[in-house]
């Protein structure tokens, strides 16, 4: 080896070597590698990065031989990757604080859904319908963790975030970022819709007093080895990490307090609930010497606690633990403005806290008197401590009122104990009083000061004479001046303070003229884009480029803010302010942009449609005015010429026309360009055509087939995934079909016309049952749809099942008495093995069509299929006597099933109390025989008594027997309704 080579080796050997980063696939090859990696002090990659890598790889679609992209395969590799991601989260002890900081909402949503899956949470069942006390420990804990994350995510999403502007090298990532943002917004919208359910689940968990267990690396390994060991069912249900009930309740109380506090803006009572939960959190925290499994921000908890007490009026001024702002707030709420309380508060040694209190109170509206008094107290305290008096105090002295001067002298007297105060304090007070006299322009106010007892006691007679003479000369000088010179105290506050205050006013203001005035003032102070002041101001992406291309910055800001505020007002149903804001914006853009003028006309149309539909939802039955219908038609007939359109406008216009039965109009030709830009317009055309041609199946089959194909396309997994530059398929793309169905469900929930909803229910029921004849769900008009599907593998079956449930549940919120929808809902519960719920809806369907079973239930409602399903529900619930009674309802009595049911001794119903509802003598004779055989003499006597009723005598006319049967049917069904309703 040469000398140079030796030198190179020596140099390279002396450098500290950085170990190479472990790749994700290495963890698949070595089972022990993950645990060893996580035990390192500084693992690379870090745990949350590993979760992202594992889930991204598990969600990567596969490519078949035809080079078509298929959904991620359910194979051993992907299952292992998901399990590895769960093990990393288990290593982090499911700390949501850590997971939320390191993972995006879509990734964390995927992770927690996997946790629900491996924890055997029943699929297709709403969490609010689960009884946590009966679930295995880790199953219950998985449900709690998911719902905690749901409400925490809602709260975190309401916090303002700083907007980041991408640099030139990041412009190619804008599409990916936009897609991730849309995915996040879709998830958030679902979480917000389910927020009430999540709150109920967590409130229910507070009633559980047992300890909880959550998956660890060990239990997940056991799960991988043998799925039957999941959910903590081994080792006496104590497998996993033990979480005490108090620790869980503490965390749940904290999270519930956060969501209720966030809801307090629109519901004042929510602040009361938040305060109660935060109080429980504080009490539970005091129990713990060491909180191993409670992860919360105690500073934020303290802030929440003080805020809740202030907002609910629970503050006590005498509470020594209150901070100065809390004390001030308490005094304001009790209207206690006494100088002694204000003065005591301003004696705080923390000057920064004192300034903060003054600033916050100064912003309070309608509290000028308190602001002035607090300002005076602070000034006297500053004077006695030798500090510079504030500009605010000097501004107050510029034009004071007599009562302010009187209050000032009272504070001075109280602050200075003449017998005990030092000479230094007295000398500082003299300086303050001289400054006060020099600052007052009105002679009579100066006289008030100089005549005060404190003034005469502190100042010597000579000093008083000199000061009075100076005041007299100054007064004469001022009177001789034609125009007084501006005082030093007229100097305005700093520009940055003014800008901040104006920006705050801009955020809060909903008056268009005032918004314009504020923007003019802001632009005179600084040239910057003020539409970015609040990151919650959002305009649709379709319009953003048109608005940002406006050359004049003031106009650009004004248009953006007026539109953003108007859109926000629509979401909170403040339609009056929206009309004012949109009208002002329309008037503004009409002057310079025909394109923006049409945009605003479209948005104002959407506003009127939503306002009218909201009125209908709240109970109004007024038909829309002809002008509104005409405007909706005009939009649907509009020819597009390079005009930005929002898809939702077309959606709501189509839903509006369907809701008001404008089927004839919708079937007319709509411009093809508008159909291409908005597929829901085509969907509306097909729905209208299908509904118009119902109930004749032959005539409606053609349009029904077209509608079927459109829905199949919506529910199919897209094979048009785009790859990144490194060949990987983005995690964002992995649930495109589900996101498409979510948007479709959102459109469906704008509909309320019964025939349209019945048609959609029929379509999705047919779609759902096409490959499952045994578990077929029934609905109206099933015959008009195709009976086969060419490419069933491409359909997202889970998403279709969710859509059916959501659609029927939504329809029943509009009309809970639609017997067809009730039967469909019952069938859905039946095929998902939720027998009690299924029986509830079967009974409800019979009740609504028979005036709560006072009349006979129509045979087309209680068909033999429905009755057999009711029989199976009772059988699966171990209600065997009910089975026997229901067997009589069939057109041909099913004696075999009835006898088999009566042989069961482990029955969970009232057994012999149902014998009065049996009218079939053969079944009653069999009951007598069974009880005699078992030696059950009392029950045998009840059965004999039932047989002996004269109206059941076989010699009676058929009409009498039928009346006896109908009487018992009604009473039995009423008794069942009381049990299951």
């Amino acid at each position: 080896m040469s000398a140079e080579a030796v030198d190179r080796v020596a140099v390279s050997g002396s450098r500290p070597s950085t170990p190479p980063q472990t790749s994700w696939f290495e963890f698949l090859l070595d089972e022990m590698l993950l645990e060893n990696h996580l035990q390192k002090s500084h693992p690379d990659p870090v745990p949350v990065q590993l979760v992202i890598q594992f889930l991204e790889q598990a969600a990567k679609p596969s490519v078949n031989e035809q080079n078509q992209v298929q959904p991620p395969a359910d194979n051993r590799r992907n299952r292992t990757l998901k399990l590895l991601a769960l093990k990393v989260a288990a290593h982090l002890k499911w700390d949501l604080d850590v997971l939320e900081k390191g993972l995006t909402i879509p990734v964390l949503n995927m992770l927690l859904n996997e946790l629900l899956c491996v924890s055997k949470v029943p699929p297709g069942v709403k969490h609010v319908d689960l009884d946590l006390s009966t679930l295995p420990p880790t199953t219950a804990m998985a449900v709690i963790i998911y719902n905690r994350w749901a409400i925490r995510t809602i709260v975190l999403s309401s916090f303002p975030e700083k907007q980041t502007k991408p640099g030139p090298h990041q412009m190619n990532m804008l599409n990916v970022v936009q897609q991730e943002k849309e995915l996040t917004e879709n998830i958030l919208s679902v979480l917000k819709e389910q927020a009430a359910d999540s709150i109920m689940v967590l409130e229910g968990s507070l009633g559980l007093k047992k300890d909880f267990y959550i998956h660890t690396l060990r239990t997940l390994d056991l799960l991988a080895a043998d799925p039957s060991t999941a959910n903590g069912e081994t080792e006496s249900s104590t497998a996993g990490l033990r979480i005490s009930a108090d620790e869980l309740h503490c965390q749940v109380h904290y999270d519930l307090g956060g969501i209720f506090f966030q809801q307090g803006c629109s519901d004042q009572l929510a602040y009361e609930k938040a305060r109660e939960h935060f109080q429980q959190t504080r009490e539970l925290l005091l129990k713990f010497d060491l909180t191993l499994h409670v992860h919360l921000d105690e500073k934020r908890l303290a802030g929440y606690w003080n805020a809740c007490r202030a907002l609910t009026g629970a503050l006590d001024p005498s509470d020594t633990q209150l901070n100065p702002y809390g004390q001030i707030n308490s005094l304001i709420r009790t209207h206690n403005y006494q100088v002694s309380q204000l003065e005591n508060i301003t004696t705080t040694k923390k000057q920064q806290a004192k300034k903060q209190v003054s600033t916050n109170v100064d912003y309070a509206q309608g509290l000028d008197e308190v602001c002035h008094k607090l300002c005076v107290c602070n000034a006297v305290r500053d004077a006695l401590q030798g500090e510079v008096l504030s500009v605010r105090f000097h501004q107050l002295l510029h034009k004071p009122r007599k009562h302010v001067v009187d209050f000032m002298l009272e504070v001075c007297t109280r602050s200075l104990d003449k017998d005990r105060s030092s000479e230094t304090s007295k000398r500082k007070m003299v300086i303050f009083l001289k400054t006060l006299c020099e600052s007052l322009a009105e002679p009579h106010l100066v006289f008030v000061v100089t005549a005060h007892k404190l003034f005469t006691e502190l100042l010597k007679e000579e000093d008083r004479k000199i000061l009075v003479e100076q005041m007299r000369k100054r007064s004469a000088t001022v009177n001789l001046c034609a125009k007084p010179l501006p005082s030093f105290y007229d100097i305005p506050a700093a520009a940055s303070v003014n800008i901040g205050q104006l920006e705050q006013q801009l955020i809060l203001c909903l008056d268009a003229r005032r918004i314009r005035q504020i923007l003019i003032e802001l632009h005179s102070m600084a040239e910057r884009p003020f539409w970015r002041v609040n990151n919650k101001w959002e305009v649709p992406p379709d319009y953003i480029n048109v608005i940002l291309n406006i050359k004049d910055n003031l106009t650009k800001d004004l248009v953006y803010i007026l539109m953003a505020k108007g859109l926000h007002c629509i979401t909170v149903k403040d339609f009056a302010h929206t009309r004012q804001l949109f009208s002002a914006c329309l008037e503004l853009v009409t002057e310079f942009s025909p394109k923006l003028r049409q945009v605003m006309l479209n948005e104002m149309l959407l506003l009127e449609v939503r306002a009218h539909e909201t009125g209908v939802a709240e109970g109004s039955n007024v038909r829309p005015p002809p002008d509104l219908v005409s405007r909706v038609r005009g939009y649907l007939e509009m020819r597009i010429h390079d005009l930005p359109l929002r898809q939702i406008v077309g959606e709501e216009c189509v839903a509006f026309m369907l809701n008001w039965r404008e089927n004839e109009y919708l079937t007319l030709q709509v411009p093809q360009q508008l159909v291409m830009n908005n597929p829901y317009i085509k969907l509306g055309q097909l729905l209208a055509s299908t509904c118009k041609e119902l109930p004749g199946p032959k005539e409606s089959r053609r349009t029904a087939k077209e509608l079927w194909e459109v829905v199949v396309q919506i529910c199919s997994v897209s094979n048009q995934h785009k790859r990144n530059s490194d060949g990987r398929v983005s995690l964002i793309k992995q649930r495109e079909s589900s996101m498409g169905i979510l948007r479709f469900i959102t459109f469906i929930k704008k509909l309320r016309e019964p025939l349209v909803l019945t048609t959609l229910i029929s379509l999705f029921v047919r779609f759902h049952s096409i490959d499952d004849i045994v578990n077929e769900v029934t609905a109206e008009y099933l015959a008009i749809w195709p009976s086969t599907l060419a490419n069933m593998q491409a359909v997202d079956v889970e998403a279709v099942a969710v859509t059916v449930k959501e659609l029927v549940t939504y329809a029943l919120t509009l009309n809970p008495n639609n017997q067809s929808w009730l039967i469909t809902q019952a069938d859905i519960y039946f095929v998902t093995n939720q027998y009690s719920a299924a029986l509830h809806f079967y009974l409800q369907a019979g009740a609504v069509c028979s005036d709560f079973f006072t009349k006979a239930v129509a045979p087309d409602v209680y068909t033999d299929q429905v009755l057999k399903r009711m029989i199976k529900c009772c059988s699966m619930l171990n209600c065997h006597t009910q089975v026997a009674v229901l067997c009589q309802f069939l057109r041909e009595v099913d004696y075999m099933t009835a006898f088999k049911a009566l042989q069961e001794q482990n029955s969970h119903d009232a057994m012999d109390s149902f014998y009065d509802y049996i009218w079939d003598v053969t079944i009653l004779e069999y009951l007598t025989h069974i009880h005699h055989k078992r030696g059950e003499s009392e029950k045998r006597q009840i059965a004999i008594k039932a047989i002996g009723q004269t109206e059941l005598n076989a010699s009676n006319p058929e009409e009498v027997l039928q009346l006896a049967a109908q009487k018992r049917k009604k009473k039995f069904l009423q008794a069942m309704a009381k049990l299951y309703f």
Side-chain angles (χ1 to χ4, degrees), residues 34 195 212 246 298 379 394 494 636 733:
L34 179 63
F212 294 81
D246 282 345
E298 293 196 30
H394 285 299
L636 295 176
K733 288 287 185 180

Side-chain angles (χ1 to χ4, degrees), residues 944-961:
I944 291 173
K945 183 181 177 181
I947 294 177
Q949 296 176 85
T950 55
E951 56 190 357
L952 297 183
N953 193 319
S955 302
N956 289 336
E958 185 65 24
E959 294 82 1
V960 174
L961 294 175

Side-chain angles (χ1 to χ4, degrees), residues 663 691-692 694 752-760 781 821:
N663 294 340
C691 291
K692 191 177 74 170
L694 287 174
R752 51 179 174 75
E753 165 57 29
L755 184 58
V756 175
L757 289 172
T758 299
T759 303
L760 284 170
Y781 309 126
W821 298 346

Side-chain angles (χ1 to χ4, degrees), residues 791-900:
N791 188 12
M792 193 66 190
Q793 292 77 16
V795 175
D796 192 337
V797 180
E798 291 181 9
V800 172
V802 170
T803 305
V804 173
K805 294 173 187 175
E806 285 287 329
L807 179 52
V808 178
T809 303
Y810 167 71
L812 286 173
T813 61
L814 299 176
N815 182 6
N817 297 327
N818 187 304
Q819 63 192 45
S820 171
W821 298 346
L822 288 167
I823 293 290
T824 303
Q825 181 76 297
D827 285 345
I828 291 170
Y829 281 120
F830 179 82
V831 300
T832 54
N833 303 328
Q834 299 177 69
Y835 299 110
S836 179
L839 204 50
H840 167 90
F841 282 100
Y842 284 132
L843 289 167
Q844 192 172 339
V848 299
C849 69
S850 63
D851 291 340
F852 199 74
F853 304 115
T854 56
K855 304 174 184 175
V857 180
D860 60 335
V861 177
Y862 277 179
T863 62
D864 271 8
Q865 180 183 355
V866 169
L867 290 169
K868 286 177 181 178
R869 289 191 168 185
M870 291 173 71
I871 289 168
K872 183 174 180 181
C873 288
C874 293
S875 177
M876 298 305 293
L877 294 170
N878 287 331
C879 298
H880 301 294
T881 315
Q882 295 172 13
V883 170
V885 177
L886 283 170
C887 285
Q888 304 172 106
F889 283 59
L890 296 168
R891 290 178 183 174
E892 294 184 6
V893 180
D894 188 350
Y895 291 111
M896 185 70 70
T897 303
F899 293 165
K900 185 177 179 181

